[in-house]
Amino acid sequence: MKPVSKKNDNQPSKEEDTLRGVILETDKKYVLRTRGKEALLRVEEELKRQGVSLKYDKVKTMSFYPIKLRLASLQAIKKVCGLSDEQVREMGFEAPKFSLIVKLFAKYFSSVSAVSKEVPTMWRKHYTVGELMAKSVDEKKRRAVLCLKGMDLDPLVCIYLSGYFSSIVHMVTGTAVTVRETKCVFRGEKYHEYSLNW
Amino acid sequence: MNIESAGKMNPEEIIKQKDEDIKRLNESLGDLEFYLRDLSALIPIPICSLSPFDIIVDANNAFQKISEYSLAETTGTPIDVLFLEKKELKDILKRVVIENTARDQEVTLISKSGRKTPVSLSASLRRDQEGNILGYFLAFLDISERKEFSSKLELQVAERTKELQEKIKELEKINKLTVGRELKMVDLKKEIKGLRRKLEMQEKKDVAINQAAKNIAE
């Protein structure tokens, strides 16, 4: 699969929202680590049944792919691996640990405040859709609130992202992090809001 | 795309050219990542990188093997959790901030199963082009074999030393006996010498007495 080939389904059009291949790469690593190679092949078959042609081994981490693959990949993995919502959150928690882009941001991992300033850039390096920002950070009370606008794929992605965001904070603080989605577009609110405590 | 050629292009062409440049850069970055990943996987020395806050952000395969923790488990973990000498490790990292590097520092790595491995730790500070601290690179050499060899050698040396000490004791005993005998011989020689002198004097005396008796008789 070549992300730039005009013949390929996964080549995003100019107007289409996209995500970086690194996200799909972390999906692959989760499946391989927890369920093995066979499961990954079954995920690819499941995607094919959904009409999505995706070969995880061919994904280039820094290339852009259509945003539809985010949800399709998650749904197929959830179905094939029989993941609970909590396991989807765990999958999101693992993802930044394998992301080259996140590692490049490690220089800001001196405090949650420092990372929070980079959150919008970090988001844009992964997605061309949506906007993520830190609404508030209180280092003393060990609390941060993140706000995600313009990203309304599916509640499954909300669960995945809650794990993802808590993992970033965990990588900064080295402590256990609890996360709660306090606002959600799928509950009729204008944007997603995540409250993180560590 | 250079400035001269850009000047002759229409905006659409410039955008197209920029898109191409971005695409090429992304591909290069992807290739670079593969290169680094392959290189890191090949290196048999355990290596990990830390955030400025001493938290593990990356580790190679060799590190995962020696620590028995997967990357998913170690990432986000404070580095001191994996070591026995927590204070020493903090001191080493503090020193690295001042001196930029640290070499051959002996610490003990505790694996997931609790196995303790003595390692020689080398660390270097990571800075960006502006000099801001990005974190650290840590490399570990498993010195358990070296340590084992060294302790075996120490044991052998101790055994040999014990043997030598026993030999020395025996020699001292022999020496003592020899010296005692020699001293006795010296004493005997002295005694003989004294007796000989006495005998000579007696002989001289006897000769004188005989001579005197002879003179009287005459």
Side-chain angles (χ1 to χ4, degrees):
Chain A
M1 177 193 57
K2 287 181 182 173
V4 290
S5 159
K6 285 192 176 177
K7 288 175 189 169
N8 200 290
D9 291 347
N10 292 329
Q11 185 215 350
S13 67
K14 288 226 161 160
E15 299 75 29
E16 200 174 2
D17 294 322
T18 56
L19 60 89
R20 288 257 196 198
V22 69
I23 295 162
L24 302 169
E25 175 79 9
T26 56
D27 284 3
K28 178 183 100 176
K29 282 187 175 161
Y30 177 81
V31 177
L32 284 177
R33 198 184 73 78
T34 59
R35 304 292 201 276
K37 182 89 183 161
E38 277 297 309
L40 190 70
L41 292 173
R42 280 190 280 124
V43 170
E44 286 177 350
E45 280 167 19
E46 175 59 29
L47 282 164
K48 208 172 177 183
R49 268 197 288 278
Q50 290 175 22
V52 180
S53 169
L54 176 65
K55 294 281 174 203
Y56 286 96
D57 279 342
K58 300 273 172 70
V59 168
K60 291 182 178 177
T61 51
M62 301 310 286
S63 297
F64 288 98
Y65 295 84
I67 193 74
K68 67 176 182 187
L69 290 180
R70 167 63 299 178
L71 183 58
S73 174
L74 260 186
Q75 283 175 331
I77 292 168
K78 184 176 162 67
K79 188 178 172 186
V80 169
C81 302
L83 301 185
S84 64
D85 284 354
E86 194 44 46
Q87 284 170 316
V88 172
R89 201 190 313 275
E90 273 173 29
M91 188 180 156
F93 187 83
E94 269 196 18
K97 299 179 177 185
F98 296 102
S99 166
L100 173 72
I101 296 175
V102 171
K103 276 162 193 161
L104 294 176
F105 277 89
K107 62 179 173 181
Y108 302 108
F109 286 7
S110 56
S111 69
V112 178
S113 304
V115 176
S116 68
K117 286 176 194 156
E118 298 302 318
V119 156
T121 318
M122 218 188 283
W123 180 263
R124 282 197 298 274
K125 297 268 183 198
H126 288 87
Y127 297 94
T128 59
V129 57
E131 191 186 351
L132 181 69
M133 63 189 96
K135 200 171 171 183
S136 65
V137 178
D138 191 330
E139 298 270 5
K140 273 189 184 171
K141 288 182 180 170
R142 296 170 160 260
R143 195 168 61 197
V145 178
L146 293 178
C147 175
L148 177 62
K149 291 176 181 170
M151 180 81 162
D152 49 0
L153 288 175
D154 190 89
L156 191 61
V157 179
C158 302
I159 297 166
Y160 172 87
L161 287 176
S162 68
Y164 194 96
F165 298 147
S166 64
S167 183
I168 299 279
V169 175
H170 171 68
M171 283 168 83
V172 177
T173 61
T175 57
V177 181
T178 55
V179 60
R180 206 159 49 90
E181 192 182 19
T182 45
K183 283 181 185 172
C184 180
V185 292
F186 299 106
R187 294 199 299 257
E189 275 137 333
K190 284 182 181 171
Y191 55 89
H192 304 270
E193 192 180 88
Y194 294 90
S195 176
L196 297 128
N197 292 272
W198 64 94
Chain B
M1 177 177 63
N2 58 39
I3 297 167
E4 203 179 316
S5 60
K8 291 169 189 168
M9 286 176 171
N10 63 42
E12 225 169 73
E13 282 175 329
I14 292 173
I15 290 167
K16 200 177 165 191
Q17 185 68 52
K18 288 235 175 203
D19 281 346
E20 279 295 310
D21 288 347
I22 290 167
K23 199 187 96 189
R24 266 198 294 273
L25 274 174
N26 279 333
E27 279 175 5
S28 303
L29 206 55
D31 291 344
L32 188 65
E33 192 210 351
F34 273 116
Y35 170 77
L36 286 174
R37 200 190 297 165
D38 289 348
L39 188 68
S40 153
L42 172 78
I43 294 171
I45 299 166
I47 294 170
C48 70
S49 65
L50 307 184
S51 75
F53 229 45
D54 306 348
I55 288 168
I56 300 169
V57 288
D58 204 0
N60 70 347
N61 292 359
F63 185 85
Q64 291 170 57
K65 197 178 168 192
I66 195 172
S67 69
E68 298 170 2
Y69 287 103
S70 69
L71 187 60
E73 289 169 319
T74 48
T75 310
T77 306
I79 187 73
D80 62 355
V81 169
L82 301 181
F83 289 88
L84 189 67
E85 304 87 352
K86 300 184 192 310
K87 196 188 166 296
E88 281 87 338
L89 190 75
K90 280 206 167 147
D91 290 343
I92 292 167
L93 293 178
K94 270 184 199 167
R95 240 181 13 252
V96 172
V97 174
I98 300 161
E99 295 168 7
N100 286 322
T101 56
R103 291 274 175 271
D104 303 324
Q105 304 291 312
E106 233 178 270
V107 280
T108 314
L109 192 142
I110 308 166
S111 74
K112 193 177 177 180
S113 65
R115 182 169 47 89
K116 289 173 186 166
T117 310
V119 289
S120 169
L121 159 71
S122 292
S124 72
L125 195 65
R126 292 178 61 214
R127 289 183 189 272
D128 63 13
Q129 287 177 339
E130 282 85 42
N132 302 311
I133 293 174
L134 304 180
Y136 312 85
F137 276 130
L138 303 187
F140 309 90
L141 272 182
D142 183 349
I143 54 167
S144 48
E145 275 184 23
R146 197 171 85 188
K147 287 282 258 186
E148 202 180 328
F149 179 73
S150 163
S151 59
K152 265 185 191 171
L153 209 66
E154 273 173 25
L155 205 74
Q156 278 180 350
V157 168
E159 276 173 13
R160 288 266 178 219
T161 309
K162 203 179 164 187
E163 278 174 24
L164 277 172
Q165 276 171 344
E166 278 167 11
K167 293 266 180 211
I168 287 168
K169 266 184 194 169
E170 272 177 37
L171 278 171
E172 275 174 350
K173 219 184 242 178
I174 293 167
N175 193 38
K176 217 173 180 179
L177 281 172
T178 316
V179 169
R181 199 176 291 169
E182 274 183 9
L183 282 173
K184 203 156 192 178
M185 276 171 79
V186 168
D187 285 346
L188 283 169
K189 273 181 188 171
K190 268 185 192 170
E191 207 177 323
I192 290 166
K193 209 174 175 182
L195 286 171
R196 195 172 282 161
R197 202 177 293 149
K198 264 186 189 173
L199 195 67
E200 279 171 5
M201 280 180 59
Q202 190 63 46
E203 275 175 1
K204 275 180 188 173
K205 234 182 200 174
D206 288 349
V207 170
I209 290 168
N210 287 341
Q211 192 62 45
K214 215 177 183 181
N215 289 341
I216 293 166
E218 279 175 0

